């Protein structure tokens, strides 16, 4: 057993310095060597140090029954069995060893990060991640795997997709030295595919999605297989291989219809709408977005519902159906008023199109000073491109040719770099 790591973990957890723990037992310098596994002290020394920390020196948890319970809890989290996960979490908290034992506590906290994300408590998850990070030098390889996987998930929810993919790749490196079950391996590949897609790394996303799909199919997991097909459809759509994209979406449609999965049906109709829009079939795009909303009203998040409403605003404005556009703007406002999440980004979208419909003379100033800087900061390049093109036209009509050219150039530069943007992922 790695006594040094256990000592350091509990010392830090209890807010003690090395001087305070070592006082009257050994020198602080010698304690430092113990904590860094540079020496093996006598059992009597360890017993005294453990006693001061209120620990049982003879306890071992590497094969403790609670570890199996923790993995059972983690599986519930991965498969999004929310009610079961909540119930088992409370049971685990009641077990003294879960919170007092170094080994069990680390795993509990690492798994809790993902549970908080499942419950959409992103800030709490980030706080838990920061707290556990201070103990990283006490981690074994299995802990490192879950730590980097959790880091990747936290970054994903913070929309830092490049760092998310990097952290998940680090988790994959650790996975080679530990034994993952099949469902964990497929989960890792799917998360890699998801983060790679959002980071615009299309080839890596397709590679990992196909690996995840192969495992899910062997497990006869229809839901997860459908998620992989959705991701493949999005990536092939970005490569403008629309036939391959639609092939994947139609496979999902069959699976989701058989399983009555309205959430997945909402996702595919949204993404078919994206393809139709990119093909210039705007009426077909609008029709698919409306179908999407009919499924999304009870099964999707507030953000996902607004995403589709925004697309209807965009499409109706683009074809000059301004009354319909205003109707969808009002629908968006009503939706945001009932939402409990941060709606700043969505409010900016609706404000832009309201000003455009009303021919508001301050539209170009709002785009320059508020909208474009906001989406640049968020790294939402799709919207930066869109609003740069709009403001360039407005500025040209105002004869501000130099400023118009600046935004047109920014849009072109981003288009060259991110020419395959589009699609909504799970």
């Amino acid at each position: 057993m790695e006594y040094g790591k256990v000592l350091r973990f509990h010392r830090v957890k209890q807010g003690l310095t090395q001087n305070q723990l070592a006082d009257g037992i050994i020198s602080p310098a010698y304690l430092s060597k113990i904590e860094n596994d540079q020496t093996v002290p006598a059992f009597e020394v360890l017993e005294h140090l453990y006693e001061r920390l209120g620990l049982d020196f003879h306890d071992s948890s590497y094969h403790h029954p609670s570890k199996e319970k923790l993995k059972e809890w983690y599986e519930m989290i991965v498969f999004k069995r929310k009610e079961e996960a909540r119930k088992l979490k409370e049971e685990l908290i009641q077990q003294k060893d879960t919170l007092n034992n170094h080994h069990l506590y680390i795993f509990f906290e690492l798994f809790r990060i993902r549970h908080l994300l499942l419950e959409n408590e992103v800030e709490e998850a980030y706080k838990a991640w920061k707290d556990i990070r201070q103990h990283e030098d006490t981690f074994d390889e299995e802990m490192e795997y879950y730590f980097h996987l959790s880091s990747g998930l936290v970054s994903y929810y913070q929309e830092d997709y490049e760092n998310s993919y990097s952290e998940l790749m680090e988790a994959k490196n650790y996975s080679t030295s530990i034994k993952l079950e099949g469902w964990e391996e497929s989960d890792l590949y799917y998360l890699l595919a998801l983060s790679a897609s959002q980071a615009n790394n299309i080839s890596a996303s397709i590679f990992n999605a196909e690996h995840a799909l192969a495992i899910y199919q062997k497990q006869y997991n229809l839901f997860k297989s459908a998620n992989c097909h959705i991701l493949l459809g999005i990536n092939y759509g970005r490569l403008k291989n629309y036939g391959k994209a639609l092939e994947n979406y139609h496979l999902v449609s069959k699976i989701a219809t058989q399983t009555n999965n309205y959430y997945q049906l909402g996702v595919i109709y949204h993404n078919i709408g994206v393809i139709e829009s990119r093909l210039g079939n705007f009426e077909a795009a609008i029709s698919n977005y409306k179908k999407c909303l009919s499924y999304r009203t009870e099964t999707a998040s507030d953000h996902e519902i607004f995403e589709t409403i925004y697309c209807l605003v965009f499409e109706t404005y683009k074809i000059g159906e301004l009354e319909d556009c205003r109707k969808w703007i009002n629908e968006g406002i009503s939706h945001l008023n009932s939402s409990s999440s941060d709606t700043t980004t969505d409010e900016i979208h609706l404000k832009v199109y309201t000003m455009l419909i009303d021919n508001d003379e301050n539209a170009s100033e709002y785009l320059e000073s508020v909208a474009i800087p906001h989406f640049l900061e968020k790294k939402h390049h799709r919207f930066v491109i869109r609003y740069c093109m709009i403001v360039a036209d407005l500025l040209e009509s105002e004869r501000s040719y130099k400023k118009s050219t600046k935004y047109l150039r920014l849009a072109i530069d981003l288009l060259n770099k991110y020419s395959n943007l589009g699609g909504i992922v799970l």
Side-chain angles (χ1 to χ4, degrees):
M1 185 173 176
E2 297 171 309
Y3 296 106
K5 290 182 178 180
V6 174
L7 287 170
R8 184 189 184 284
F9 167 80
H10 284 284
R11 178 179 62 77
V12 172
K13 187 180 175 187
Q14 295 180 30
L16 298 176
T17 66
Q18 288 183 331
N19 285 343
Q20 289 171 322
L21 178 57
D23 185 37
I25 302 174
I26 52 175
S27 70
Y30 189 51
L31 175 59
S32 178
K33 287 185 177 182
I34 296 172
E35 289 187 349
N36 290 302
D37 294 319
Q38 294 175 353
T39 185
V40 179
F43 282 167
E44 292 81 0
V45 170
L46 288 172
E47 284 182 314
H48 286 306
L49 293 171
Y50 269 57
E51 184 180 354
R52 180 160 292 174
L53 290 168
L55 305 175
D56 181 358
F57 174 64
H58 300 287
D59 177 52
S60 175
S61 64
Y62 280 84
H63 301 287
H64 195 285
S66 293
K67 176 71 179 297
E68 299 305 315
K69 277 288 183 185
L70 284 169
K71 288 300 292 286
E72 184 182 333
W73 180 46
Y74 184 66
E75 186 174 358
M76 292 174 183
I77 296 167
V78 170
F79 286 97
K80 301 183 179 181
R81 291 163 16 214
K82 288 188 177 183
E83 289 303 320
E84 292 177 73
R86 289 169 189 158
K87 183 178 178 181
L88 186 51
K89 175 189 173 184
E90 293 306 313
E91 291 179 19
L92 289 165
I93 289 174
Q94 297 305 315
Q95 295 180 17
K96 180 181 175 182
D97 287 341
T98 303
L99 300 181
N100 292 338
N101 182 283
H102 162 255
H103 197 72
L104 298 177
Y105 177 83
I106 291 290
F107 282 108
F108 177 81
E109 286 298 300
L110 290 171
F111 297 164
R112 188 169 74 92
I113 293 168
R114 187 158 185 176
H115 188 235
L116 288 166
L117 292 173
L118 176 63
E119 298 286 0
N120 205 32
E121 296 180 36
V122 180
E123 287 302 315
E124 283 299 312
Y126 179 62
K127 181 182 176 184
W129 175 81
K130 285 199 298 184
D131 288 344
I132 204 65
R133 184 178 58 173
Q134 67 180 319
H135 301 298
E136 189 179 2
D137 59 357
T138 72
F139 292 176
D140 59 24
E141 289 185 329
E142 188 180 10
M143 293 171 183
E144 288 284 4
Y145 168 77
Y146 290 110
F147 174 72
H148 287 289
L149 188 135
S150 298
S151 300
L153 285 170
V154 169
S155 292
Y156 187 91
Y157 275 77
Q158 293 176 328
E159 300 182 355
D160 186 354
Y161 301 120
E162 291 184 3
N163 189 61
S164 174
Y165 182 68
S166 176
E167 287 289 345
L168 290 168
M169 282 299 295
E170 192 66 25
K172 185 180 178 183
N173 292 337
Y174 277 102
S175 73
T176 60
S177 57
I178 64 175
K179 185 178 180 181
L180 291 181
E181 295 185 51
W183 60 269
E184 287 192 276
E185 185 182 4
S186 53
D187 176 60
L188 174 60
Y189 277 119
Y190 180 72
L191 293 177
L192 281 164
L194 202 59
S195 61
S197 178
Q198 293 285 32
N200 208 40
N201 190 343
I202 296 174
S203 59
S205 184
I206 291 174
F207 173 84
N208 286 292
E210 288 178 341
H211 272 67
L213 177 61
I215 301 172
Y216 287 135
Q217 287 176 333
K218 287 179 181 177
Q219 298 167 344
Y220 303 103
N221 190 322
L222 291 176
F223 174 76
K224 293 287 189 179
S225 295
N227 283 351
C228 290
H229 281 299
I230 290 171
L231 201 46
L232 288 167
I234 289 168
N235 284 303
Y236 282 119
R238 289 172 176 173
L239 293 173
K240 300 182 181 175
N241 188 341
Y242 299 126
K244 192 78 171 172
L246 290 170
E247 179 186 321
N248 278 279
Y249 291 147
H250 291 318
L251 281 169
V252 177
S253 179
K254 289 180 181 179
I255 296 172
T257 301
Q258 289 173 1
T259 59
N260 293 320
N261 193 311
Y262 294 155
Y263 179 78
Q264 289 179 334
L265 286 168
V267 171
I268 63 167
Y269 280 122
H270 183 105
N271 283 294
I272 291 173
V274 171
I275 289 179
E276 295 290 5
S277 177
R278 296 178 79 180
L279 289 171
N281 302 327
F282 306 124
E283 294 293 345
I286 290 170
S287 175
N288 277 283
Y289 289 136
K290 287 179 179 178
K291 281 183 183 177
C292 167
L293 273 186
S294 70
Y295 288 109
R296 279 198 157 169
T297 50
E298 296 182 1
T299 57
S301 68
D302 288 339
H303 173 72
E304 288 166 327
I305 293 170
F306 182 84
E307 190 87 43
T308 304
I309 293 173
Y310 169 77
C311 287
L312 285 162
V313 170
F314 173 66
E315 296 296 335
T316 50
Y317 177 79
K318 191 161 52 177
I319 62 175
E321 298 288 346
L322 300 188
E323 285 307 309
D324 281 348
C325 183
R326 193 181 297 278
K327 184 191 86 171
W328 288 112
I329 288 172
N330 291 334
E331 184 76 18
I333 292 169
S334 175
H335 177 71
L336 295 184
N337 287 339
S338 63
S339 173
S340 59
S341 56
D342 181 14
T343 59
T344 304
T345 294
D346 302 335
E347 288 167 354
I348 290 173
H349 283 310
L350 297 180
K351 176 75 170 177
V352 166
Y353 284 97
T354 300
M355 296 180 84
L356 291 173
I357 290 175
D358 293 339
N359 293 314
D360 192 315
E361 61 182 15
N362 296 314
S364 58
E365 180 185 349
Y366 183 78
L367 283 160
E368 285 189 274
S369 62
V370 178
I372 292 172
H374 175 82
F375 291 110
L376 276 170
E377 182 183 355
K378 291 281 187 178
K379 297 182 181 179
H380 292 175
H381 301 111
R382 175 165 53 120
F383 300 122
V384 175
I385 293 167
R386 184 170 295 171
Y387 292 139
C388 277
M389 299 291 282
I390 291 173
V391 80
D393 286 342
L394 290 173
L395 290 168
E396 185 178 13
S397 69
E398 297 168 6
R399 298 186 178 182
S400 298
Y401 301 118
K402 187 174 181 180
K403 288 172 72 177
S404 173
T405 302
K406 180 184 81 170
Y407 286 105
L408 194 58
R409 186 179 295 115
L410 175 58
I412 291 170
D413 288 344
L414 289 172
L415 273 168
N416 289 334
K417 188 173 182 181
Y418 302 103
S419 60
N420 44 26
L421 291 176
I424 304 302
V425 296
L426 290 169

